[in-house]
Amino acid sequence: MLTHTSSLSAIASVVALLTACTDTGVEKNFSRSEEYTRLMSEADFTETSNLSDLSGMATYQGVAKADFGSFSGTADARITADFSEDKLSGSMTNWVDDDPLNYDLNGKVELSNGSIDPHAGTFATDMFGNIERSPVGMVDPANPPVAVWIAGNAEGSFHNSLDGDHASHVVGVMEGETSDAGGVISGDFVAAR
């Protein structure tokens, strides 16, 4: 049998656990917003990079933001460019809801079959994935988890940094449909080597 003191202690533990989880989401969204702004401010958007003299693989890390129609969030973006084969792939993982105090996001958005135009410094790729949004805390039948499947495409470009680092940044936009009736996804990402 729980006493009043142990009940209060149990409640305090649950509140502390929930606060830690939600504070992490708020902090992560804030950090991603700062990183997104920093990455965008470092790139020279006056022209795209000519990639025809590049070979080998390069990995870019950054931030993705997406609106899934009825909710939105941010993710870690990882883009891999194969300049020898003019191919591109990527993934957006570790999603955080824009309302992290009330909702969790799980899932992944993938970029595949991407082709790079080395002279134009641009790329186009397929996009697919799934995201599940669930309320934080106890399950509420009136507010069940929502899962959406995503299909569409992404396109973007490579840019030098303002200090002259060649093809140091990649930016892109994502567009597609979700499994919700008439649902759409729109978003963008920026990443740097």
Side-chain angles (χ1 to χ4, degrees), residues 147-168:
V148 294
W149 294 96
I150 299 154
N153 57 64
E155 57 185 33
S157 51
F158 292 85
H159 297 271
N160 299 342
S161 68
L162 289 172
D163 61 8
D165 189 7
H166 187 65
S168 62

Side-chain angles (χ1 to χ4, degrees), residues 6 11 18 23 33 47 80 116 135 137-138 143 151 157 160 165 170:
S6 61
I11 291 170
L18 289 175
D23 285 349
S33 179
E47 61 183 354
T80 302
I116 298 172
M138 295 178 62
N143 190 16
S157 51
N160 299 342
D165 189 7
V170 59

Side-chain angles (χ1 to χ4, degrees), residues 75-139:
D76 297 327
R78 181 181 172 94
I79 309 298
T80 302
D82 181 344
F83 295 116
S84 298
E85 299 290 327
D86 297 328
K87 295 181 178 177
L88 182 137
S89 61
S91 61
M92 285 77 175
T93 58
N94 300 314
W95 286 90
V96 176
D97 196 274
D98 280 348
D99 182 7
L101 296 177
N102 295 305
Y103 293 95
D104 288 324
L105 291 183
N106 290 296
K108 181 189 288 190
V109 174
E110 299 270 6
L111 304 180
S112 65
N113 300 320
S115 61
I116 298 172
D117 181 336
H119 298 289
T122 60
F123 69 87
T125 180
D126 296 333
M127 176 187 67
F128 64 94
N130 67 304
I131 300 292
E132 180 178 279
R133 186 187 203 217
S134 55
V136 170
M138 295 178 62
V139 175

Side-chain angles (χ1 to χ4, degrees), residues 14 17 25 48 51 54 67 76-77 99 110 114 117 124 164 169 171 190:
V14 169
L17 180 62
T48 59
L51 311 172
L54 297 180
D67 182 338
D76 297 327
D99 182 7
E110 299 270 6
D117 181 336
H169 288 67
V171 297
V190 57

Side-chain angles (χ1 to χ4, degrees), residues 9 22 29 35 41 43 55 59-60 72 88 118 125 138 143 150 164 171:
S9 178
T22 56
N29 272 351
E35 183 181 5
S41 70
S55 62
T59 301
Y60 296 79
S72 56
L88 182 137
T125 180
M138 295 178 62
N143 190 16
I150 299 154
V171 297

